Amino acid sequence: MRPAFGGPRLLLRRLREVMAEQISAQERLDKIVVMIAANMVAEVCSVYVLRVDGTLELYATQGLNREAVHLTVMRAGEGLVGLVAQTAESLNLSDAQEHPSFSFKPETGEEIFHSFLGVPILRGGNTLGVLVVQNRAHRKYEEDEVEALQTTSMVLAEMIASGELSALALPGQEPAARRPLHLPGEGLADGVGLGHVVLHEPRIQVTKLIADDPNREMARLETAIESLRAEIDDMLDSEDVARGGEHKDILEAYRMFAHDRGFVRRLKEAIGTGITAEAAVERVQSDNRARMMRQTDPYLRERMHDLDDLANRLMRQLTGEKPTAREDLPENAIVVARHMGPAALLDYDRSRLRGLVLEEGGATSHVAIVARSLGIPTVGHAENVTSLADPGDAIIIDGATGEVHLRPTGDVESAYAEKVRFRARRQAQYAAIRDMPAITRDGVEIKLNLNAGLMVDLPFISETGAAGIGLFRTELQFMVANSLPRTAEQLDLYRKVLDAADGRPVTFRTLDIGGDKVLPYMDVVQEENPALGWRAIRLGLDRPGLLRSQVRAMLRAGAGREVRIMFPMIAAAEEFDQAKAIVERELTHLRRHEHRMPERVQVGAMVEVPALLFQLDELLPRVDFLSVGSNDLVQFMFAVDRGNNRVANRFDVMSPPILRALRLLARKGQEYGKLVTLCGELASRPLEAMVLAGLGYRSLSLSPAAVGPVKSMILELDLRRLAAVLDPLIEQPKEGGPSIRERLRHFAEAEGVTL
Ligand code: PEP
Ligand code: MG
């Protein structure tokens, strides 16, 4: 027969009193286990805490041998307790000794207890410890008892997460909840950032766990769910969503979850155990996360984010809290987000922002491009960081290596402080060579230009001593705006860019939108393969109104000066003719209206589509210059999506097929006497830039932070000696794979070239 079970509400009320008492952490834990055991009519109640070393330590017990407290330690995955921690799932057994994972700890005296119920202590889906009750008799705990124990474990989760228990631990054995974490990610924007976590979408802290009136909580939940459903319906009906697109699919999924009976039932059951509606949302979502984090299927993991979003919305319905404003950013803020658009990043106060960490987003995503142009160290693909980081946590990020150190130890902190000092010294060295031209030891000048796109980039021209702007990405102005920038606004920006360049050449690229570069205020056209779709110059030629007004703004901004215009994604020589005809037409228009004309107009094409490699003899006579967009060219040559991390790093660019194509472009340019610049991310990396110089490139366009490192590399380089090793490597790659990167690194080392 089932012994009388006190039910969770009474227990929760008593726990609340204990949590408020002015006693030591150990005394509090000791009281808690006694109360739980009594309430659950269990002979044993024990708390195991996950430690930084990955083991589980017995922190308190009622019923087992007290001497074992702080002595009994289980390895990760060891025994039933280890199993609960590892799977993050409850384990309910009437005969624990029979279970294959049972492991005997003689010091505890637990061999006489047959039944076992263990629940994970979870927070944000992460395991912090395990709570166990045991009985002598062979009994199977009822569903409501399991529920009750899970609810109780939330109180323990708060206690562990508060850091209160750390005082009870030896160094290196502290509770893992606040442990230092080293998360590997992908470096998106160079630089080291030291500071404190600010969550882009702050979690709503549940301050009140225990309900005063469960019926009221049930009613609050029902109202909140109704409002949530209405909110989703409204969003689905709203104009821009109704047109279709990915956003719509996500909202449809939200609607499905919000109506899912299982989801609502679990929330109600949690309230039934005596907690508030907010605590119920947190608990159900924490369980969901724990389960989904252990899934390997990326689709299911993606759904976890959707469920997180939904839970946050429900929480906001309950608390009436609005997403926070960006104004009151603390000093040294490192913003941590799941994902972010470029406009949101610009909302933050630049003077306080020290870094950005994203769970999603690759190197060529737009927020990464903007972060780079703002010089904000950024790391992407930092898995699960938004649930592991708490606001205010100390954090260090390294945008070069992609490392994130959350709650770093003193050692890590001082190592990075040293790194920052070292970088500052390097910066001073770069500043010293700022006004020197980039000339190799054997006397060849390589022009170093900047990639830019926003007003914030302009001071970099003088700060870096760049030769000019080799790629001005005009779409950035469009991407960060809330509505289509008018011609006057474009004209104003282009004028300011030319003013800031102060006579140095500036190459404007016409709008490169479509594909993954969507403008929030423009119709989204659904395409199977957006990277190969209606984008860039294709869109420009099919809807010439926008392209014309843009070209006109460029030409007017360049009154009395040189204007350089280039078109993205040209795939055929004839396409270039059509685009150039628009420039001619606008020039005629300006002349007719007696505007002041540019002194000189140069029109060029970007080489991003491999088909152009086989039309160079047709194309080169028509253009004034070429600019190689290696980001796109490489993605199309290898057929690897530049934004898809699973394939983006599959092939090394430093391998013969790409290098032969790049060499061909440089040689053909020389043959026709036309300037060929390379403006993809390749040029921003010293080893790659060294190779480009070796292939014959005399003009590169790079991110502002790369100018110093690339220039100092060039000053140390002897091009003749490089050419002697490079050509044979490209022609006959030796065994050891197609990449010639290692051999180039050896060359640089032997030559004393710093990469
Ligand atoms: C490129 O493709 O290399 C390039 C410079 O253009 P974007 O990165 O803007 O597509
Ligand atoms: Mg491109």
Side-chain angles (χ1 to χ4, degrees):
M1 214 196 71
R2 174 185 170 179
F5 154 57
R9 284 194 208 137
L10 178 69
L11 174 61
L12 285 174
R13 210 166 305 140
R14 304 274 319 274
L15 284 177
R16 179 162 56 186
E17 286 157 20
V18 178
M19 294 303 281
E21 276 179 47
Q22 294 290 327
I23 49 177
S24 74
Q26 187 66 53
E27 284 169 316
R28 201 184 319 282
L29 270 186
D30 291 344
K31 279 193 168 189
I32 289 175
V33 287
V34 170
M35 275 160 47
I36 298 175
N39 184 267
M40 303 274 301
V41 200
E43 277 115 355
V44 174
C45 173
S46 316
V47 175
Y48 296 83
V49 174
L50 184 69
R51 305 195 317 200
V52 283
D53 57 6
T55 60
L56 288 147
E57 175 180 328
L58 179 66
Y59 259 64
T61 186
Q62 159 72 4
L64 296 185
N65 189 351
R66 286 291 181 101
E67 312 278 281
V69 169
H70 296 302
L71 283 181
T72 292
V73 174
M74 325 278 246
R75 289 189 313 277
E78 183 193 0
L80 301 175
V81 171
L83 186 64
V84 173
Q86 201 167 53
T87 56
E89 277 176 20
S90 308
L91 195 60
N92 182 358
L93 302 170
S94 60
D95 197 343
Q97 279 88 340
E98 287 296 298
H99 193 283
S101 292
F102 180 79
S103 110
F104 179 52
K105 292 276 175 191
E107 72 276 12
T108 61
E110 67 177 328
E111 61 277 13
I112 52 172
F113 303 105
H114 291 287
S115 48
F116 173 101
L117 170 60
V119 299
I121 302 174
L122 293 176
R123 187 162 182 270
N126 298 305
T127 303
L128 307 188
V130 176
L131 174 61
V132 176
V133 292
Q134 292 172 281
N135 280 81
R136 264 176 222 267
H138 292 270
R139 66 177 274 216
K140 182 105 175 154
Y141 300 91
E142 302 287 334
E143 244 334 281
D144 55 347
E145 292 176 291
V146 180
E147 272 288 312
L149 199 64
Q150 281 172 347
T151 295
T152 318
S153 76
M154 288 180 79
V155 178
L156 287 163
E158 286 311 307
M159 190 173 168
I160 299 173
S162 73
E164 191 182 347
L165 300 184
S166 300
L168 305 176
L170 296 172
Q173 300 178 354
E174 296 90 349
R178 315 273 324 138
R179 70 187 182 282
L181 284 177
H182 176 204
L183 307 170
E186 185 192 352
L188 300 185
D190 202 2
V192 172
L194 285 88
H196 295 276
V197 170
V198 171
L199 291 179
H200 181 53
E201 286 170 338
R203 284 192 294 271
I204 294 174
Q205 292 293 337
V206 179
T207 43
K208 189 163 177 222
L209 224 52
I210 300 159
D212 298 326
D213 174 1
N215 292 332
R216 202 178 143 253
E217 295 305 313
M218 211 62 99
R220 288 183 64 228
L221 177 74
E222 275 169 8
T223 317
I225 288 178
E226 279 313 310
S227 322
L228 175 70
R229 289 173 180 166
E231 177 190 299
I232 296 172
D233 287 345
D234 280 354
M235 286 194 292
L236 269 165
D237 289 343
S238 83
E239 253 202 74
D240 30 320
V241 174
R243 288 201 200 104
E246 191 195 5
H247 196 52
K248 178 162 186 223
D249 295 343
I250 293 175
L251 287 175
E252 294 281 8
Y254 285 3
R255 172 144 71 181
M256 195 182 77
F257 289 134
H259 285 268
D260 181 73
R261 290 222 195 96
F263 177 60
V264 177
R265 178 176 45 77
R266 282 162 58 212
L267 289 169
K268 288 188 172 168
E269 276 170 5
I271 293 183
T273 63
I275 52 179
T276 58
E278 288 88 340
V281 174
E282 180 170 289
R283 212 194 95 193
V284 169
Q285 185 48 13
S286 190
D287 288 352
N288 281 338
R289 284 190 70 94
R291 240 180 313 118
M292 288 180 149
M293 270 155 58
R294 284 165 179 75
Q295 302 281 352
T296 43
D297 180 345
Y299 176 78
L300 285 176
R301 292 176 67 104
E302 189 48 39
R303 295 286 77 74
M304 173 173 98
H305 294 315
D306 295 348
L307 277 174
D308 270 345
D309 268 357
L310 189 76
N312 277 339
R313 283 175 191 279
L314 186 53
M315 199 73 111
R316 279 201 206 105
Q317 291 290 354
L318 283 165
T319 58
E321 265 182 53
K322 299 267 174 302
T324 42
R326 311 262 167 264
E327 286 94 64
D328 38 3
L329 205 60
E331 292 282 339
N332 299 331
I334 306 249
V335 171
V336 174
R338 183 144 70 75
H339 55 70
M340 193 190 277
L345 180 60
L346 291 170
D347 280 347
Y348 283 101
D349 176 355
R350 236 339 254 113
S351 66
R352 290 161 180 256
L353 189 59
R354 294 284 168 273
L356 174 66
V357 185
L358 301 167
E359 283 186 9
E360 296 166 11
T364 49
S365 65
H366 301 115
V367 68
I369 292 172
V370 173
R372 264 197 300 276
S373 78
L374 292 171
I376 300 168
T378 301
V379 174
H381 288 279
E383 226 179 292
N384 207 16
V385 64
T386 55
S387 76
L388 294 167
D390 280 312
D393 277 351
I395 185 170
I396 296 176
I397 69 168
D398 187 334
T401 61
E403 284 166 292
V404 175
H405 296 273
L406 192 57
R407 300 178 285 265
T409 58
D411 293 353
V412 172
E413 237 170 73
S414 44
Y416 271 92
E418 180 50 40
K419 206 164 174 167
V420 169
R421 277 194 292 275
F422 177 75
R423 286 180 71 96
R425 278 198 297 276
R426 289 286 295 264
Q427 291 306 331
Q429 288 165 6
Y430 299 148
I433 58 172
R434 187 185 61 193
D435 299 320
M436 285 188 199
I439 298 181
T440 63
R441 277 172 32 205
D442 49 342
V444 180
E445 179 167 11
I446 315 286
K447 295 271 186 206
L448 299 184
N449 300 282
L450 289 188
N451 288 349
L454 294 167
M455 202 85 108
V456 290
D457 294 329
L458 301 185
F460 289 125
I461 304 175
S462 51
E463 278 170 35
T464 58
I469 294 182
L471 164 65
F472 191 85
R473 290 184 163 104
T474 57
E475 64 276 7
L476 291 185
Q477 184 192 21
F478 287 70
M479 280 160 53
V480 301
N482 294 322
S483 59
L484 198 72
R486 287 170 319 207
T487 311
E489 290 168 272
Q490 296 175 39
L491 176 60
D492 181 52
L493 174 65
Y494 304 155
R495 238 183 222 144
K496 289 196 171 115
V497 174
L498 290 170
D499 290 347
D502 197 18
R504 280 167 280 212
V506 173
T507 305
F508 290 106
R509 170 173 78 184
T510 60
L511 264 191
D512 185 12
I513 48 166
D516 63 330
K517 296 180 184 170
V518 277
L519 303 183
Y521 41 83
M522 265 174 77
D523 280 0
V524 182
V525 182
Q526 283 306 301
E527 294 181 295
E528 283 276 326
N529 292 301
L532 308 179
W534 199 46
R535 53 176 288 204
I537 194 64
R538 304 166 181 190
L539 212 150
L541 291 176
D542 291 352
R543 297 265 187 281
L546 197 54
L547 183 57
R548 269 189 218 133
S549 75
Q550 204 186 12
V551 167
R552 187 175 303 174
M554 288 169 186
L555 295 173
R556 285 188 54 197
R561 338 189 226 202
E562 180 187 71
V563 179
R564 302 168 60 83
I565 300 177
M566 68 179 175
F567 303 107
M569 284 290 286
I570 294 285
E574 296 70 31
E575 221 170 24
F576 175 77
D577 291 340
Q578 289 170 35
K580 189 171 173 186
I582 291 184
V583 180
E584 300 293 353
R585 192 189 132 127
E586 288 310 316
L587 280 169
T588 311
H589 173 91
L590 292 184
R591 231 174 264 126
R592 198 175 301 143
H593 290 83
E594 294 179 6
H595 282 280
R596 187 166 171 222
M597 302 302 287
E599 195 172 90
R600 198 160 94 112
V601 179
Q602 299 275 292
V603 187
M606 285 190 79
V607 182
E608 301 182 283
V609 179
L612 273 196
L613 293 170
F614 306 98
Q615 307 173 64
L616 292 172
D617 291 318
E618 289 85 5
L619 183 66
L620 274 157
R622 296 157 140 107
V623 299
D624 296 316
F625 63 90
L626 288 182
S627 189
V628 184
S630 54
N631 302 341
D632 275 313
L633 184 63
V634 170
Q635 104 162 325
F636 296 132
M637 284 188 66
F638 278 138
V640 288
D641 179 347
R642 63 195 256 190
N644 179 343
N645 250 44
R646 249 180 275 157
V647 293
N649 300 320
R650 204 175 179 86
F651 300 103
D652 190 353
V653 183
M654 290 293 106
S655 58
I658 303 293
L659 298 182
R660 287 176 195 158
L662 295 176
R663 185 177 59 184
L664 171 73
L665 281 159
R667 286 184 180 168
K668 280 284 183 187
Q670 274 153 20
E671 187 186 322
Y672 283 87
K674 302 283 165 80
L675 177 72
V676 181
T677 301
L678 189 136
C679 64
E681 301 301 320
L682 270 188
S684 295
R685 297 195 286 264
L687 182 140
E688 281 83 342
M690 174 181 86
V691 172
L692 291 170
L695 294 177
Y697 286 84
R698 298 295 172 260
S699 170
L700 301 174
S701 192
L702 25 144
S703 57
V707 174
V710 169
K711 191 189 279 185
S712 73
M713 175 278 293
I714 287 171
L715 295 174
E716 291 166 345
L717 180 66
D718 186 320
L719 262 184
R720 256 177 312 219
R721 293 172 65 86
L722 172 63
V725 297
L726 191 57
D727 274 328
L729 276 179
I730 296 179
E731 290 316 325
Q732 304 142 356
K734 301 226 179 62
E735 59 288 343
S739 171
I740 60 169
R741 182 178 297 275
E742 272 317 302
R743 276 159 280 176
L744 291 163
R745 203 169 286 163
H746 287 151
F747 165 83
E749 211 171 315
E751 293 280 306
V753 176
T754 324
L755 296 179

